[in-house]
Amino acid sequence: MQLYNKVDRKILAQLMENSEVERITFSFYKYHKIENPQQTRDDFYSEWSALGVMGRVYIAYEGINGQVSVPKENFEAYRKAMYDTGWLTNIRLNIAIEDDGKSFIKLKIKVRPKIVADGLDDSSFDASKGGKHLSAKEFNELTSKEDTVIIDMRNHYESEVGHFKGAITPDVDTFRDSLPIINDMLEEHHNKHIVMYCTGGIRCEKASAWFKHKGLEKVYQLDGGIIEYTRQVKEENLENKFIGKNFVFDRRLGERISDEIIAKCHQCGEACDEHKNCENEACHVLFIQCKNCEEKYNSCCSEECKNIKLLPEEAQKELRKGKKTERNIFRKGRSEKLTFKK
């Protein structure tokens, strides 16, 4: 069996747009020692492909981290397959808050050095000794106290469109960048309760253990992240302390948690929190764009990219030849072409 997808992404995207299959999107992670990540990757690809799974999954010696979608009719079969894999028994599946079922167009499972790039030497501390997990109710109660500091463990483009009230939101591009910066920030809060949160919980698992290793004692993490918090808030009719949208790493690029719009269009400055990738194939930079600018710039980040997009496909390919443009997507709103970037 072919253990990867070779169909052109444009074709796959069109197939997904035309599909009427109802799908469920969710994320999961598990820190667990995996003896043979490549074999585990191949086994999962074979099994999950047969169930129509699409998404992005990273496997490393330290565990697994995934965001996937599954046809609704196969969801229980997929869950059973995961639970039948002993070390994944009862793993939490963080089901999406807003979901059109078109979050992914293919299945990609990659073996990586780590399931989240953190830049840490895990041999220098005990990564299993993380902060105390908080439910949504416990989170609301603890963050209402004056001696509590809330830390957003996500990146600038995530917190720009949504975050918890009163949270410190570091202006960083990567999780790796955030750790030493946050460590310095917390020097003056050493005796306070430190509450961390991220999208689904995975970044806080490692970060909270590292901060405890660095000497902080009252360290907590939001169990299941923003996604699980939102589910519990709705089910238990709790106060929602999250404002704006929750950024997600798939084609949706966001889930609305509250009605507030706290960001602005990177091109005109109007209130907006709609992320998109520039449609110039040689750019693809992530940025925020309102409907008016979408029309004005033809879904591109600048006049330059708009003009390139208007060229014949062959001419565009010629411009891209020999250039490593695909990495631009990781610039995340930092493009010099954007006037109102954060």
Side-chain angles (χ1 to χ4, degrees), residues 58-84:
Y58 297 142
I59 295 176
Y61 286 105
E62 67 175 3
I64 188 170
N65 177 22
Q67 301 88 40
V68 302
S69 77
V70 180
K72 186 175 181 179
E73 63 183 22
N74 292 341
F75 179 73
E76 289 304 325
Y78 179 78
R79 176 154 50 189
K80 183 178 185 303
M82 293 193 80
Y83 287 3
D84 284 349

Side-chain angles (χ1 to χ4, degrees), residues 134-238:
L134 299 175
S135 67
K137 182 179 179 181
E138 291 170 331
F139 177 90
N140 282 359
E141 291 173 350
L142 186 56
T143 56
S144 295
K145 297 180 179 180
E146 290 187 3
D147 63 341
T148 297
V149 176
I150 312 170
I151 302 291
D152 192 324
M153 296 306 302
R154 302 172 305 152
N155 306 321
H156 76 91
Y157 54 90
E158 298 173 83
S159 61
E160 183 176 5
V161 295
H163 55 76
F164 280 103
K165 298 173 185 177
I168 294 174
T169 56
D171 187 20
V172 294
D173 292 329
T174 67
F175 178 52
R176 179 198 298 259
D177 292 341
S178 73
L179 294 173
I181 292 173
I182 293 173
N183 185 59
D184 291 341
M185 286 179 170
L186 293 178
E187 282 294 325
E188 61 182 293
H189 303 295
H190 217 72
N191 295 318
K192 296 182 180 179
H193 297 97
I194 308 300
V195 179
M196 303 174 184
Y197 72 88
C198 56
T199 306
I202 186 171
R203 283 175 273 191
C204 294
E205 291 284 356
K206 185 69 70 72
S208 63
W210 189 71
F211 285 119
K212 286 181 68 177
H213 166 71
K214 299 293 285 185
L216 294 173
E217 296 180 0
K218 304 173 184 178
V219 181
Y220 304 82
Q221 57 182 297
L222 180 58
D223 190 34
I226 299 164
I227 299 174
E228 176 64 13
Y229 173 87
T230 304
R231 185 188 68 78
Q232 291 181 21
V233 162
K234 291 179 179 179
E235 287 187 355
E236 300 174 30
N237 195 28
L238 303 173

Side-chain angles (χ1 to χ4, degrees), residues 10 276-284 289 294-295 297-316 319-320:
K10 289 185 178 179
K276 70 178 307 172
N277 289 111
C278 177
E279 290 192 6
N280 169 18
E281 292 287 341
C283 181
H284 273 183
Q289 186 179 55
E294 180 180 20
E295 183 176 347
Y297 293 99
N298 196 15
S299 297
C300 292
C301 72
S302 63
E303 285 286 350
E304 178 186 354
C305 283
K306 172 184 174 181
N307 293 332
I308 291 174
K309 184 185 174 186
L310 292 173
L311 294 173
E313 182 62 32
E314 288 304 313
Q316 292 186 48
L319 287 174
R320 298 197 298 268

